[in-house]
Amino acid sequence: MEMDWRFERNILLLSLVAVWFVGWLVGHSAWFIALFLLCYVVVQFYRLQNLCDWAQSSDPESIPFEQGLFGQLAYQIYQSKKHGVTQKINVRNQLERFKKLISIFPDGVVILSLSNEIKWFNDRASALLGLKEQDTAQHINHLIRFPKFTRLLSQAEQDGVLVMAGPVNESNLVAEKIEIRVLPYGQNERLLLVRDVTKVERANQMRKDFVSNASHELRTPLTVLKGYVEMLLTDTAADRARVEKSLQKVDQQVSKMQTMVDELLLLSKLEEAEIDKATDVINIHNLFEQLDSEFQPLSKQKKQPLRFDIQPGADLKANKNAILTVLRNLIANAIHYTEQRGEVRVSWSINTDGQGVITVKDTGKGIAARHLARLTERFYRVPENNIMHKNGTGLGLAIVKHELERHEAQLLIESQVGEGSRFQCLFPSKRVCHTA
Ligand code: ADP
């Protein structure tokens, strides 16, 4: 830069001397110098204009001057222009990266102005709140018209949270429950975060239902127990037979409570249990023999034949105790919910898809269709069937379902009121072990 300035200055001085000399020769040195300076200013002005035009243009590559002072100046402008473009590209890339990052966020993000105008939102927010591209610049409280939501937005500076039903988006509900949080963001904006909390809310509801069901189920036998104990304490003159009868009732209630607590413990263990990876093969014939001898007394008492059928040639890869638990529950139910002289059949077969199927079929009371989907819920009992098995806990089928899930198996329930029920356990073909 220094060199070019000196060079430019020297050229100017030499030119001035030359012009003065020529002017002195012809006797008009002052006019010559004035004319030369005028030309010099015009040329420099023209070059400056070129430089300005180029500096404002969007094409930094077409540098107008390569040499001299203007060349240096153009080069400096070129450098800072290039630096500016690189910086712009960097900022744009960073912005794109940030947008991409937010767009893959599992939660919805909406940027709002202080007057609740939508400035930007990601795909998840669009799905959870039903926002569309054309909603940008609209007031969000005009699109989501829930009083609680409007109240949340009006808490200007605070960080507020709200759980509400997810809006129905084009007749399709994306999330049953959503959590909305509004946070101050920058100076003139707010950030609205949306999260699908359907599962968390369901789990909370289940926990509440469970506590209330369990306390309700335990309270009934406890009330009966208390009644008998009080009676025994006050009625000191009661004869041996009466005392014995009362104690038998107490024993029944204690057994029911014990069963319930054992089943609850088993259920909580099953909830944490992993998929059964046992490679043990259960001999179905031996399994059915064991169940036959366990249940014959009960089926004889109810004068119901209990039959076992086996399609030969295959056994089952599973945990024997788990399958015993499943079948004990299903067979006990079939016997309990079938009148005297009904029939219970247990069978093992392989279906056309190669699945191993254990079926427990009865000719009992049957279950109305409206109850079928809820049978495996904890404590769910069919009110009209309760009378047939007063000691039932409503936990048996929940245990069956969990044990089967642990064996990658499915439970199919079919039933007709007055005709009977069929419970099928379908095990995947990989768990079938062909023996013949
Ligand atoms: P429970 O201890 O009450 O038998 P379960 O979970 O085993 O509990 O069964 C839930 C409900 O399903 C029962 O209360 C009963 O009403 C109904 N149920 C189960 N199996 C049968 C069946 N084979 N026939 C008719 N109803 C049944």
Side-chain angles (χ1 to χ4, degrees), residues 407-424:
H407 286 82
E408 301 149 293
Q410 251 182 303
L411 177 68
L412 285 191
I413 310 174
E414 289 165 300
S415 191
Q416 286 276 329
V417 176
E419 305 257 312
S421 311
R422 186 167 78 159
F423 289 77
Q424 283 188 302

Side-chain angles (χ1 to χ4, degrees), residues 333-334 337 362 366-367 375 380-382 385-386 389 392-398 421 423:
N333 278 350
Y337 299 107
D362 63 61
I367 306 158
L375 286 184
Y380 191 81
R381 304 196 73 207
V382 180
N385 292 3
N386 276 356
H389 180 37
T393 57
L395 294 170
L397 289 180
S421 311
F423 289 77

Side-chain angles (χ1 to χ4, degrees), residues 183-298:
L183 304 164
Y185 169 64
Q187 289 224 306
N188 302 317
E189 287 171 332
R190 287 196 294 166
L191 207 59
L192 188 141
L193 303 176
V194 204
R195 213 154 60 93
D196 180 355
V197 287
T198 311
K199 281 191 187 150
V200 181
E201 287 293 307
R202 269 198 212 141
N204 274 344
Q205 192 53 45
M206 270 169 69
R207 186 180 50 77
K208 282 183 205 154
D209 288 350
F210 172 75
V211 173
S212 91
N213 284 334
S215 9
H216 176 78
E217 292 296 328
L218 287 170
R219 190 190 289 144
T220 316
L222 274 175
T223 314
V224 179
L225 270 181
K226 198 164 178 347
Y228 281 110
V229 171
E230 275 171 6
M231 195 195 83
L232 286 172
L233 282 173
T234 49
D235 189 2
T236 42
D239 59 23
R240 170 110 197 116
R242 255 178 83 181
V243 170
E244 217 163 81
K245 212 170 152 204
S246 302
L247 284 176
Q248 267 167 10
K249 298 274 184 195
V250 168
D251 187 47
Q252 266 175 19
Q253 296 304 322
V254 170
S255 305
K256 184 172 175 180
M257 286 195 341
Q258 211 164 16
T259 313
M260 199 184 293
V261 171
D262 289 347
E263 288 183 339
L264 281 173
L265 284 175
L266 177 59
L267 259 176
S268 78
K269 255 195 222 156
L270 283 175
E271 267 175 359
E272 308 210 329
E274 289 178 358
I275 298 282
D276 170 80
K277 297 218 174 75
T279 46
D280 301 352
V281 176
I282 304 174
N283 181 310
I284 297 286
H285 187 266
N286 293 349
L287 182 85
F288 281 7
E289 255 185 7
Q290 181 177 342
L291 289 164
D292 189 27
S293 59
E294 274 180 35
F295 282 98
Q296 275 314 329
L298 187 61

Side-chain angles (χ1 to χ4, degrees), residues 75-92:
Y75 181 71
Q76 293 298 330
I77 295 173
Y78 172 77
Q79 286 291 351
S80 61
K81 258 193 163 198
K82 249 194 135 173
H83 183 64
V85 170
T86 327
Q87 256 187 340
K88 236 190 207 169
I89 292 173
N90 280 347
V91 169
R92 196 181 303 146

